[in-house]
Amino acid sequence: MSTGTTAAVWGRAEQQDFRSRVRGALLGGAVGDALGAGVSGLVLEEIRAAHGVEGVVDYVPAHGRRGAVTALTQLTLFTVDGLIRAQVRRDTGAWHPPTDVHRAHLRWAATQHDWGPDERREDNGWLAAEEWLYARRDPARECLAGFGDTVMGTLDRPKNPAARDAGALTRSAPFGLLVGWEPGLVLQLAVECAALLAERPGHEPVTEALRQALGSVRQGIPGPALIEALGASDAAEEVLAVAVYCALVSEDIRHGLRLAVNHSGPSRATGSVCGALLGALHGETALPPAWLAELEGRATLLELADDFAMEMTQGPALHSPAAVAPGWLARYPRG
């Protein structure tokens, strides 16, 4: 099967629905990240002491403002940029998506320090020129170290072979939006891109964590006790289990995200993954408007989401041998 879907396959309604889901995934992940950022590092008792028995129910200040996102959202944005560039490069005969995603992550790493190359160049695409992305928002030390040089990790030689945290998971939602790809290829790409920085685990921990999440759905009223029984560490499989559980039992996105951040675990990671799942499921219009209104970088998120949706549905009209849009190639250079 082809890895791309041509525009002829897509009707207008289908394109609009897909764009809404892409927007929902990126915005929802950022909202969950921002909601959890204000209670990052706090256990449930500390969250309730600071915000009441219901815990955090709205944005609280983090990084000097309400609605601030963290490195989780920053890296997700650069992951999307890398995936778009990978699609653009299909027509060049030098197609290797993990390389494009790795280069995108290196562009993010360059925004986090004052040394090294300045990525705000005219020939480097538009995303790296967004000044707000140069704020340092609690990136994991292992993440910065892993992208501290240009060597790309592989499945045989990952950069941080002992890493089991959720760093790769939280920036993986965009892979699920690759329409026209065989599911096995999407999984392979996500795993290879995770290995850029972390070790590839066996499927058993993830399978068991998801099994526990599904079983917990039928165990009573959702709350912190059931959530923390699924895991309270930043291990990738535990973060995924919590996020999936909160998405499954949610009455709406607001309810699901409040569940996802009010516990003793890594609130911004579980909030980010849950928000991406719910946003992709329900689309952007289901997201709480008040949270979107204060979300940092909303314009950039929307612009990138729309570009991704256009590339996925109309890519051949932008960069095929028969049709080249110079403006598009300036936004997403092939080099």
Side-chain angles (χ1 to χ4, degrees):
M1 177 181 290
S2 171
T3 55
T5 300
T6 64
V9 176
W10 293 80
R12 182 174 297 177
E14 288 81 6
Q15 290 189 42
Q16 291 175 343
D17 179 70
F18 178 64
R19 184 177 66 176
S20 176
R21 293 176 187 274
V22 174
R23 284 182 165 193
L26 296 190
L27 290 170
V31 167
D33 177 23
L35 194 65
V39 292
S40 179
L42 301 181
V43 298
L44 181 61
E45 291 75 14
E46 293 171 324
I47 294 174
R48 286 176 168 170
H51 304 290
V53 67
E54 293 185 3
V56 62
V57 297
D58 196 358
Y59 290 145
V60 295
H63 304 289
R65 57 161 292 172
R66 286 166 55 94
V69 299
T70 76
L72 305 184
T73 295
Q74 292 175 338
L75 268 165
T76 298
L77 287 170
F78 278 91
T79 300
V80 175
D81 180 71
L83 290 174
I84 293 175
R85 294 193 191 207
Q87 289 288 102
V88 170
R89 281 165 58 89
R90 284 180 306 165
D91 303 319
T92 68
W95 194 57
H96 187 245
T99 296
D100 290 295
V101 173
H102 182 243
R103 289 172 176 170
H105 290 164
L106 292 178
R107 287 192 292 276
W108 167 79
T111 69
Q112 300 298 294
H113 50 65
D114 296 327
W115 49 269
D118 188 339
E119 296 296 327
R120 288 164 284 196
R121 309 191 313 269
E122 290 186 3
D123 63 344
N124 203 29
W126 71 279
L127 187 65
E130 295 289 290
E131 292 292 338
W132 71 276
L133 289 172
Y134 284 73
R136 190 161 178 168
R137 296 293 173 76
D138 292 336
R141 181 173 54 187
E142 295 80 5
C143 187
L144 286 176
F147 293 133
D149 57 49
T150 60
V151 177
M152 187 173 77
T154 65
L155 294 180
D156 295 331
R157 293 186 177 182
K159 295 296 286 290
N160 289 317
R164 293 298 300 275
D165 65 86
L169 169 66
T170 55
R171 59 179 181 267
S172 290
F175 296 108
L177 302 171
L178 291 169
V179 293
W181 287 54
E182 290 281 4
L185 289 176
V186 174
L187 175 61
Q188 179 182 343
L189 175 59
V191 169
E192 288 188 26
C193 288
L196 299 177
L197 194 60
E199 180 182 27
R200 176 185 180 180
H203 74 86
E204 292 84 1
V206 175
T207 300
E208 179 57 28
L210 290 175
R211 184 179 293 114
Q212 291 181 15
L214 293 175
S216 297
V217 171
R218 298 182 290 273
Q219 290 182 8
I221 298 175
L226 283 173
I227 290 172
E228 291 178 15
L230 294 171
S233 79
D234 67 346
E237 63 269 20
E238 293 184 7
V239 169
L240 180 62
V242 169
V244 169
Y245 168 77
C246 292
L248 289 173
V249 300
S250 62
E251 298 170 1
D252 55 31
I253 292 182
R254 190 187 305 272
H255 175 241
L257 285 179
R258 286 173 174 171
L259 283 173
V261 302
N262 284 296
H263 53 82
S264 297
S267 297
R268 60 176 184 165
T270 50
S272 175
V273 177
C274 181
L277 290 172
L278 288 171
L281 178 62
H282 298 292
E284 64 167 323
T285 57
L287 295 166
W291 287 351
L292 289 178
E294 292 188 272
L295 180 64
E296 182 182 29
R298 176 164 58 100
T300 303
L301 285 153
L302 284 169
E303 189 171 0
L304 191 65
D306 288 353
D307 280 2
F308 182 89
M310 186 156 59
E311 173 62 38
M312 290 297 108
T313 60
Q314 302 179 65
L318 296 167
H319 53 76
S320 69
V324 176
W328 192 251
L329 298 183
R331 291 175 69 77
Y332 302 102
R334 285 171 167 165

